[in-house]
Amino acid sequence: MEILRTPDHCFDNIPDYPFEPHYTTIKTHDGSDLRIHHIDEGPKDGPVILCMHGQPVWSYLYARMIPHLVKAGIRVIAPDLPGYGKSDKPAAREDYSYQRQVDWMNQWLVENDFTNLTFFGQDWGGLIGLRMVADNGDRFARVAIGNTGLPYNPDVPPEVVEEIIAFRNSKKRLTLFSMMKELKKMNGLGGKRHDGARLFAYWQKYTWQTPDVPAGIISSSQMETRSPLAVALELFIGAIGLRKISPFRTQLSTIYEAPFPSPKYKMAVRAMPTQVPIMPDRSLEAQKKAWEFFEQFEKPFLCVGAGNDPITNGFEKPWLAKVPGTKGQPHATIGGGHFFQWAKAEKLSGILADFIFKNSAD
């Protein structure tokens, strides 16, 4: 397996990220070494929260939350998923199956021997992290999720599957703007007509057919107000190879582009959207097993989401209906869009801190 490592200098001068790096080396399926980075901040004797990010961001997403959580007396562990941030980046599309990501992070969890954890995950951090909880239930005391889920769709009609696969494989070219226009029509991934899956396919197609996915632009556009003209100009300047010196590049765009010094480092960003199990696929049995685990999960379980994120709206419904541990918890909707860890850092941190301390055995 070819594995890339972002040079340390790419992270020079990242503001508000003074955290000491911690590295854990695990083994891949072929015996290769894969180094995973994580943050470890706060009192060593405090309750521990494991915060997991999604795609296409990295642990910097929690930079605003960490000071609030630490002030509350909580120890924060925030890893970079393989392919992101300061973690190593496998270079081939086939390296990024859903199961492999779970396997890698399970190894990382056990190697560090983290226990008595509160889990919080968003986006892919939830998809992977919830499977980690199901595989390592004795290591987790509480679970909180936001803008994420555990997709399990065994009954998608064959004609819908064929339609989505044909669209993803078609020669139709998407731009960032045409893709975003379709995603804004979503109202979650569910629905009897499977419209969410059809619309999500635009994201899957765009990321795969775009070798240099503009991770910085996509991330920053969901965390700060940016004019379409400025985004278009940054895209154009990037397309001619001058992205690093673009006068239209914002600080956040620079930060979320930092882990990817060239397009070859972006395989996780490109490959992982097609691994979201919006249709019956090879992850079906593992998803079913995980849901069976959570249907018996009586430990505290909190759903706190934005409520204004087209991709994940309604994510909480199956959890509230099926998971015993959700009963009596103060589930909340707080706004802030898809990456609400940034826009609602203080509010979300307070909710998670209250959840931890009010559900502590101590």
Side-chain angles (χ1 to χ4, degrees):
M1 178 186 292
E2 181 185 5
I3 296 177
L4 307 174
R5 181 169 296 170
T6 303
D8 288 342
H9 69 78
C10 292
F11 301 98
D12 290 347
N13 303 315
I14 296 289
D16 303 316
Y17 194 83
F19 313 119
E20 178 184 353
H22 298 264
Y23 295 103
T24 306
T25 299
I26 62 150
K27 292 289 185 180
T28 66
H29 67 287
D30 66 351
S32 299
D33 287 339
L34 182 71
R35 194 179 76 169
I36 298 176
H37 165 260
H38 72 271
I39 295 167
D40 186 345
E41 295 291 319
K44 299 304 179 186
D45 60 349
V48 186
I49 187 168
L50 170 60
C51 295
M52 291 181 58
H53 71 85
Q55 183 257 10
V57 295
W58 54 294
S59 58
Y60 187 87
L61 181 62
Y62 290 98
R64 280 186 169 180
M65 290 181 63
I66 289 171
H68 296 296
L69 291 167
V70 170
K71 185 177 180 180
I74 296 168
R75 178 182 172 192
V76 183
I77 308 293
D80 288 327
L81 293 173
Y84 300 89
K86 295 184 177 183
S87 289
D88 284 350
K89 299 165 179 66
R93 184 180 193 176
E94 57 269 20
D95 296 333
Y96 288 99
S97 73
Y98 188 172
Q99 186 61 54
R100 283 188 183 169
Q101 287 274 4
V102 173
D103 292 343
W104 293 338
M105 293 308 296
N106 275 342
Q107 280 193 63
W108 169 85
L109 180 70
V110 173
E111 183 69 23
N112 285 283
D113 196 25
F114 293 130
T115 59
N116 198 28
L117 294 167
T118 298
F119 171 73
F120 176 73
Q122 176 260 344
D123 192 88
W124 262 106
L127 271 73
I128 295 169
L130 286 164
R131 289 273 300 277
M132 293 166 63
V133 175
D135 290 342
N136 305 272
D138 59 336
R139 293 181 179 272
F140 292 87
R142 307 161 204 86
V143 172
I145 59 172
N147 297 353
T148 190
L150 195 61
Y152 175 61
N153 299 290
D155 300 320
V156 181
E159 60 271 21
V160 175
V161 174
E162 293 172 5
E163 175 190 336
I164 291 173
I165 292 175
F167 171 73
R168 292 195 319 210
N169 293 335
S170 71
K171 294 182 179 180
K172 179 181 177 67
R173 301 298 298 181
L174 301 177
T175 67
L176 176 64
F177 293 105
S178 65
M179 178 272 294
M180 291 301 296
K181 180 180 178 181
E182 297 302 320
L183 286 192
K184 289 178 181 178
K185 298 176 184 177
M186 290 182 65
N187 188 27
L189 283 170
K192 293 182 179 180
R193 297 183 62 251
H194 307 285
D195 289 337
R198 289 183 171 97
L199 292 168
F200 190 74
Y202 281 81
W203 173 238
Q204 296 175 314
K205 182 175 180 60
Y206 171 77
T207 50
W208 180 245
Q209 73 178 22
T210 308
D212 191 10
V213 178
I217 293 174
I218 292 169
S219 302
S220 63
S221 295
Q222 296 185 70
M223 299 182 208
E224 60 186 347
T225 302
R226 303 197 62 184
S227 74
L229 178 59
V231 170
L233 290 169
E234 184 179 348
L235 281 168
F236 172 74
I237 291 174
I240 61 176
L242 301 175
R243 182 175 295 159
K244 292 182 180 180
I245 60 173
S246 169
F248 302 100
R249 197 178 196 188
T250 69
Q251 185 179 77
L252 279 180
S253 182
T254 300
I255 289 166
Y256 285 107
E257 195 68 30
F260 312 113
S262 76
K264 68 180 182 179
Y265 288 77
K266 294 184 174 182
M267 189 52 70
V269 177
R270 297 181 61 201
M272 284 178 64
T274 55
Q275 294 294 318
V276 176
I278 60 174
M279 304 181 296
D281 64 10
R282 56 190 170 181
S283 67
L284 198 62
E285 193 58 36
Q287 298 295 88
K288 179 183 178 182
K289 182 180 177 181
W291 267 111
E292 289 172 349
F293 169 86
F294 283 111
E295 287 170 354
Q296 304 299 317
F297 192 82
E298 296 184 351
K299 297 175 184 178
F301 194 114
L302 179 71
C303 296
V304 53
N308 60 349
D309 171 32
I311 297 173
T312 64
N313 282 343
F315 79 92
E316 73 282 358
K317 293 178 181 179
W319 301 97
L320 299 182
K322 297 179 181 181
V323 180
T326 62
K327 301 298 186 290
Q329 297 298 333
H331 310 289
T333 299
I334 63 174
H338 187 63
F339 295 117
F340 68 152
Q341 298 101 310
W342 188 257
K344 298 291 183 177
E346 185 173 4
K347 176 75 171 178
L348 180 56
S349 298
I351 289 172
L352 293 175
D354 287 346
F355 172 64
I356 290 170
F357 290 115
K358 289 179 180 178
N359 290 282
S360 174
D362 297 331

